[in-house]
Amino acid sequence: MNGEVLAPGGSLDHALWALEGGANAVYVGYQKFSARSHANNLSLDEIACLCAVARERGARVFCAVNVILEGHEIAEAIGLAWQLHFAGVSALIVQDLGFALALRRYGPAIDLHASTQAAVHNSSGVAALKAIGFCRVVMARELTMSELGQIVEDDPKMEYEVFVHGALCYAVSGNCMASGLMIARSANRGDCGQVCRTKFELDYLIPGPKRRDSPHEEGLPEGIHAPPGEVTWKSGSIGAFASMNDLELGARIRELYKLGVQSFKIEGRMKPPAYSYNTARAYRTFLDGGKDKEAWACLDEARLRYGRLPSSGWFDGHKALGQTNPDWAGTLGMPLGPIVAASEKALRLDGGDKAKLFASLGKGDGVMLIGPISGQVLRTALGGPVLTRDGQVEIHLNEKLDFDPRGGSLWLVSRHDGKLPVKKASKSWRHPLVTRLSLQQVQNQAGSQLKLCLSTPDLGGLEMEALLEMQAASGSKRIEDSLEEVLRASDSQFCPAQLEIDNQAGACFVQPKILKEVRRRWYHLLEQKAEDFVASVQAQVAKDAQELLVGDTTVLVTPPARASLSPLLGVNKLVGFVTEWESLKAQDLAQTVWGLSLPLAPFTPNEASYYGRLRDFLNKLQTSEPQVAVFLGLNNPGHLQWVRRLRAEGFVLREWFADWAFHSANAWTPVQLNESLSGLRLVIPWLESQSCADKSYFPPLFTSRACMLRNSFGAQGGPSESTAAPQDHDEDFGSRVWIQAKVSGQAVTRPKQGPRCPAGCAGHFSARLLQGKKQFRVEARDCINYLVQENDEQGSKL
């Protein structure tokens, strides 16, 4: 079975081990403009070395330039794109749509992959990015198998890349604003502070089964009361309610392949080389089939390197097993089992069915002991051999216990011999240029000489001439062969793609040292020409950026306050866009000079449903008040396609605005959007920018498909108290058992333990969370959770 296993490379060593594990491609970041800014990342020389190794193995290298770029950075990023192209990179992974436009105009002929940060989650989003020039889309991680299948079916010619393993974000990628707005560390700039992994206190919860409207749109009085017939859960429970478990799709990767997905992506540029080696090996084995046990064993080893509990993410829908773990936000490794007895430096465990795992343990292996009371954690190593008798396991530790661990759990977190040796690569990729060479015999005062002319049309064109001392041919080796041999034997970043030689001088001989000097001069000129070429492109990009909007009065440079464009009532007002349609009326929308402002939700995976409700509302409005204009606010690329469809159906939607989720931080983005869809009148600037003056509106910090009510609050009868020792959800929730049943076509029996939706829930609930003095509202609509900060540290309303 074919298919591309795409593995992470946080460093050169890391990426080389991914290739060693069988990855068909690796993705890396340069030391700037990468959405993993805290990874080691690679220099240009290291990327060139990696590309050389990859090409020898028939693999490819993709580079992530996947952050939001501010105006002054576009020219530099274009220069970087050319340098990456020269280094041998096969594709760029891009989020910023303005940068995509600049690349199309001034960048190299290189494939563009739309980052998962672009939040493409429906067929319309795919179509919009294809029209912009992307050849591959990294799909949003929040999609189900059936939704992915529909998207691929709608356009089977597009390349689709899907995450199959690694850490998950609670919020939709690209729509997470928590880190940027709360602690000024934007995830859209690669500086995520992982607010989702921090703890919150649940102040109250109104489950809201069979109810669509929140009972407290305009604030909360003292003493919270649920509507008649509903229950209010109040609790002081504390947990990392937004902390996601890891994705581990395992053998189900073959389901994606059958759907038509071509590339299978592993998250983990911040993780060690052994992680990439083992995961690449595992998923290549899963794809090839026949050795699933070996593949699972590789994933067990990978789990020791920063692994949380495994889950199938959203592939089985929002009712998937064990999506979050509010009890433990950190990494865990492999579960060894519950602790049944203990002495000063020894533990006794229930061996269960893990005999093979225990047999592999040895002195020096790292373990983590989590006690039954919050805060009881010991990280140490095994002090001796593991003894197994009568179904129980005795483990000796290096350190003494200072708490009673009975009722807690033990986890294997490292192997004493688990660190891989550092890999290096010395050979660099050399970028091929069209190279032409002509030879003529000339007569001058020095006598008969050879006139050599080297040229290339690439890099804007370059030509070099040299007069060489020559002799009559004295052997069988042709001058053409000698020149080709010498020109290819170079450590320059360039080489001839195909050497075109026009020899009008006939058979002759030139001393090798003279030819080597010609080579040295030629490549020196090429290197300087490349620098000048990149600098000239950057200068042109910077010049054009200053002129992009000059004379164009269709797009306002200074838009009105974003709050003035929000709906006027209810949850729609709270989040700033329409997520509830049923009771929406014209008088609920803000009036602007362009018409009634109607901002759409950034995350619309159930495309048919949301588009249908939008269309019904417009139809009702156009029928009852035909003179009223509607000013649509678009929040993702798919909305561009929606407006085209609506216009084709006869709806009058002449003007629109680009809302906050496009993260417009440079002059190129409005131009790109205006080229994509006529009628653009204003663009909301990137709200996370420190220079953004508009503080009137704060979008949801989290927009998520992982339901807190179902996954984190203990939906079977109210919130449960947080426990210090996380359960082994791999056993309790049967993650791998579930996957194996799916793969083999067996009937799937849902485990007794695990999250449940409250009976009769219509996908809507309300809650308040606390974090110190900060207060947050969680509002769920149609099973999508929105977390909004209610007030700042001084208690002032945001």
Side-chain angles (χ1 to χ4, degrees), residues 286-464:
F286 280 131
L287 267 179
D288 293 339
K291 297 181 179 179
D292 282 6
K293 285 186 177 180
E294 291 182 18
W296 285 117
C298 289
L299 290 190
D300 284 343
E301 287 302 308
R303 192 170 163 184
L304 299 182
R305 281 91 188 172
Y306 303 99
R308 295 182 176 89
L309 299 178
S311 78
S312 58
W314 286 271
F315 286 106
D316 293 309
H318 73 283
K319 297 184 178 182
L321 304 176
Q323 289 180 316
T324 66
N325 184 2
D327 301 331
W328 190 267
T331 58
L332 287 163
M334 282 291 292
L336 295 177
I339 300 167
V340 297
S343 60
E344 190 178 55
K345 294 177 69 173
L347 303 173
R348 187 173 298 166
L349 310 178
D350 183 350
D353 58 355
K354 299 178 180 176
K356 187 175 181 180
L357 176 59
F358 286 116
S360 72
L361 299 181
K363 184 177 180 179
D365 288 347
V367 293
M368 178 169 65
L369 191 157
I370 303 176
I373 300 174
S374 180
Q376 292 181 331
V377 179
L378 174 65
R379 291 176 174 86
T380 184
L382 299 184
V386 175
L387 305 176
T388 304
R389 60 181 67 154
D390 299 329
Q392 291 199 327
V393 179
E394 187 172 307
I395 289 180
H396 293 272
L397 307 177
N398 263 348
E399 298 181 40
K400 292 182 180 180
L401 295 166
D402 58 2
F403 59 85
D404 185 353
R406 289 175 297 175
S409 56
L410 190 68
W411 302 76
L412 177 66
V413 295
S414 66
R415 301 278 194 184
H416 69 279
D417 57 352
K419 190 173 182 179
L420 295 175
V422 174
K423 275 185 173 291
K424 296 181 180 180
S426 57
K427 185 178 180 181
S428 295
W429 167 256
R430 297 197 295 149
H431 184 74
L433 299 176
V434 173
T435 306
R436 296 166 184 156
L437 192 154
S438 66
L439 301 172
Q440 287 181 311
Q441 187 172 348
V442 296
Q443 296 291 331
N444 53 32
Q445 293 179 348
S448 182
Q449 289 185 305
L450 183 67
K451 181 180 179 182
L452 178 149
C453 181
L454 272 168
S455 65
T456 178
D458 295 333
L459 304 175
L462 179 66
E463 188 172 301
M464 184 192 86

Side-chain angles (χ1 to χ4, degrees), residues 692-745:
C692 180
D694 187 358
K695 305 300 182 184
S696 68
Y697 166 73
F698 287 81
L701 302 175
F702 292 142
T703 298
S704 179
R705 215 174 187 182
C707 178
M708 283 192 182
L709 171 60
R710 182 179 182 278
N711 291 290
S712 301
F713 294 157
Q716 300 179 80
S720 59
E721 291 297 322
S722 176
T723 58
Q727 298 300 306
D728 177 10
H729 291 211
D730 196 30
E731 293 178 351
D732 290 349
F733 294 154
S735 174
R736 291 189 178 178
V737 174
W738 179 277
I739 286 176
Q740 189 56 41
K742 287 271 188 181
V743 169
S744 61

Side-chain angles (χ1 to χ4, degrees), residues 353-681:
D353 58 355
K354 299 178 180 176
K356 187 175 181 180
L357 176 59
F358 286 116
S360 72
L361 299 181
K363 184 177 180 179
D365 288 347
V367 293
M368 178 169 65
L369 191 157
I370 303 176
I373 300 174
S374 180
Q376 292 181 331
V377 179
L378 174 65
R379 291 176 174 86
T380 184
L382 299 184
V386 175
L387 305 176
T388 304
R389 60 181 67 154
D390 299 329
Q392 291 199 327
V393 179
E394 187 172 307
I395 289 180
H396 293 272
L397 307 177
N398 263 348
E399 298 181 40
K400 292 182 180 180
L401 295 166
D402 58 2
F403 59 85
D404 185 353
R406 289 175 297 175
S409 56
L410 190 68
W411 302 76
L412 177 66
V413 295
S414 66
R415 301 278 194 184
H416 69 279
D417 57 352
K419 190 173 182 179
L420 295 175
V422 174
K423 275 185 173 291
K424 296 181 180 180
S426 57
K427 185 178 180 181
S428 295
W429 167 256
R430 297 197 295 149
H431 184 74
L433 299 176
V434 173
T435 306
R436 296 166 184 156
L437 192 154
S438 66
L439 301 172
Q440 287 181 311
Q441 187 172 348
V442 296
Q443 296 291 331
N444 53 32
Q445 293 179 348
S448 182
Q449 289 185 305
L450 183 67
K451 181 180 179 182
L452 178 149
C453 181
L454 272 168
S455 65
T456 178
D458 295 333
L459 304 175
L462 179 66
E463 188 172 301
M464 184 192 86
E465 290 186 355
L467 288 174
L468 310 178
E469 296 295 329
M470 70 173 187
Q471 303 168 17
S474 58
S476 60
K477 192 170 186 179
R478 302 186 313 152
I479 184 66
E480 293 94 328
D481 297 332
S482 296
L483 283 165
E484 178 142 9
E485 183 180 295
V486 167
L487 286 174
R488 292 193 181 280
S490 167
D491 57 1
S492 169
Q493 65 175 314
F494 300 109
C495 70
Q498 181 176 353
L499 190 59
E500 303 172 9
I501 300 179
D502 178 17
N503 184 3
Q504 298 179 21
C508 59
F509 172 76
V510 177
Q511 292 183 5
K513 66 177 183 180
I514 296 177
L515 295 182
K516 290 178 181 178
E517 176 60 21
V518 169
R519 179 185 66 193
R520 186 196 66 76
R521 287 179 54 201
W522 172 243
Y523 284 119
H524 174 74
L525 288 174
L526 274 180
E527 300 282 355
Q528 186 59 55
K529 179 65 175 178
E531 288 184 21
D532 294 343
F533 172 78
V534 171
S536 67
V537 171
Q538 289 178 305
Q540 188 63 49
V541 173
K543 178 178 179 292
D544 286 359
Q546 298 297 319
E547 302 174 355
L548 279 174
L549 297 179
V550 175
D552 186 354
T553 58
T554 59
V555 180
L556 285 183
V557 175
T558 305
R562 174 56 181 80
S564 69
L565 301 172
S566 294
L568 304 176
L569 295 173
V571 172
N572 291 340
K573 177 182 179 181
L574 179 71
V575 298
F577 45 81
V578 178
T579 185
E580 288 188 340
W581 290 96
E582 284 69 24
S583 59
L584 188 68
K585 299 180 177 60
Q587 56 266 36
D588 299 332
L589 302 177
Q591 179 67 57
T592 74
V593 295
W594 303 277
L596 296 177
S597 172
L598 183 58
L600 304 180
F603 184 54
T604 48
N606 192 345
E607 182 171 17
S609 173
Y610 194 96
Y611 178 83
R613 286 185 281 178
L614 166 63
R615 189 183 182 284
D616 290 345
F617 175 79
L618 293 174
N619 189 56
K620 180 175 65 175
L621 188 63
Q622 187 168 291
T623 301
S624 61
E625 302 182 59
Q627 76 286 356
V628 174
V630 173
F631 189 44
L632 279 181
L634 309 189
N635 258 315
N636 68 54
H639 294 165
L640 301 170
Q641 295 294 106
W642 290 10
V643 175
R644 292 190 188 97
R645 288 169 57 188
L646 290 167
R647 286 175 176 175
E649 291 180 39
F651 290 97
V652 181
L653 300 168
R654 296 190 181 91
E655 299 171 311
W656 63 281
F657 69 95
D659 208 352
W660 62 271
F662 279 111
H663 303 310
S664 179
N666 55 70
W668 297 86
T669 301
V671 176
Q672 174 72 87
L673 294 173
N674 203 31
E675 285 187 4
S676 299
L677 182 69
S678 64
L680 177 63
R681 291 296 170 264

